[in-house]
Amino acid sequence: MDHLDDKDHRTLRGADCRILSAFHARGRDPRVASAARALSWAGEHGALWLAAGLAGAAVDGGRRGAWLRGTALTAGAHLVSMAVKRVVRRPRPAHVEPLVRTAGRHSFPSSHATSAAAAAVAYGALGAYAIPPLAAAMCVSRLVVGVHYPSDVAAGAALGALAACAGAGWMRRGGAHA
């Protein structure tokens, strides 16, 4: 399944495929595959990140509003990525065998990466320093399980980070009447 012709090796598409293949090969290690599958499952529809934001709101009463707004930014970024996916309609990689099933058949951008990056920026700003490395692992897991090209993950991460940065002032200060 990992066949690329000579022309593909000289293009950005070829680089996307080669990088994906290299990461996907790491999934041959059962420990790596298990971790990647677990992250994939936990990140479905942004669930891990939404739960983390709600947990932050529950335990940090003094900044409950900021945590809830960060959670809203994360959810909003995820929804935007799903809308972009419906417009772009890039098919998932066909040259590798995926290690997980996916909720949809379109690849660009990675919604897992979008919500992960949005959470990393939003919750990282609130001092949740464990979130950014976990978000990076989530992004890499999409390549290991073979369901996204690196460009899908990079675009999703950029979209999520931009969405969280755009809403950072609102997240910290709250609405106009806060």
Side-chain angles (χ1 to χ4, degrees):
M1 259 197 148
D2 197 10
H3 171 61
L4 297 172
D5 64 27
D6 285 337
K7 181 181 176 190
D8 284 338
H9 282 288
R10 292 173 289 178
T11 65
L12 287 176
R13 179 182 171 272
D16 234 8
C17 290
R18 287 190 313 277
I19 293 166
L20 169 59
S21 294
F23 276 96
H24 186 262
R26 300 297 149 267
R28 291 187 195 118
D29 180 329
R31 296 166 298 183
V32 173
S34 291
R37 283 186 187 108
L39 283 167
S40 186
W41 178 81
E44 198 63 46
H45 303 295
L48 173 65
W49 314 114
L50 301 178
L54 295 175
V59 300
D60 188 359
R63 297 186 298 170
R64 180 169 287 128
W67 279 101
L68 292 173
R69 288 185 292 277
T71 303
L73 286 171
T74 300
H78 187 83
L79 291 173
V80 169
S81 75
M82 290 171 46
V84 171
K85 227 177 243 211
R86 283 180 166 58
V87 172
V88 174
R89 304 178 67 82
R90 181 184 195 183
R92 294 202 182 266
H95 74 284
V96 296
E97 187 68 37
L99 301 179
V100 296
R101 297 173 109 187
T102 59
R105 63 182 184 268
H106 298 116
S107 186
F108 185 93
S110 166
S111 294
H112 278 71
T114 301
S115 56
V121 171
Y123 307 156
L126 293 170
Y129 301 121
I131 298 294
L134 184 58
M138 176 71 72
C139 290
V140 170
S141 78
R142 307 311 287 159
L143 303 173
V144 172
V145 299
V147 296
H148 284 290
Y149 294 102
S151 57
D152 301 334
V153 173
L159 176 61
L162 285 170
C165 286
W170 172 71
M171 188 186 89
R172 285 190 304 274
R173 291 185 305 277
H177 299 90

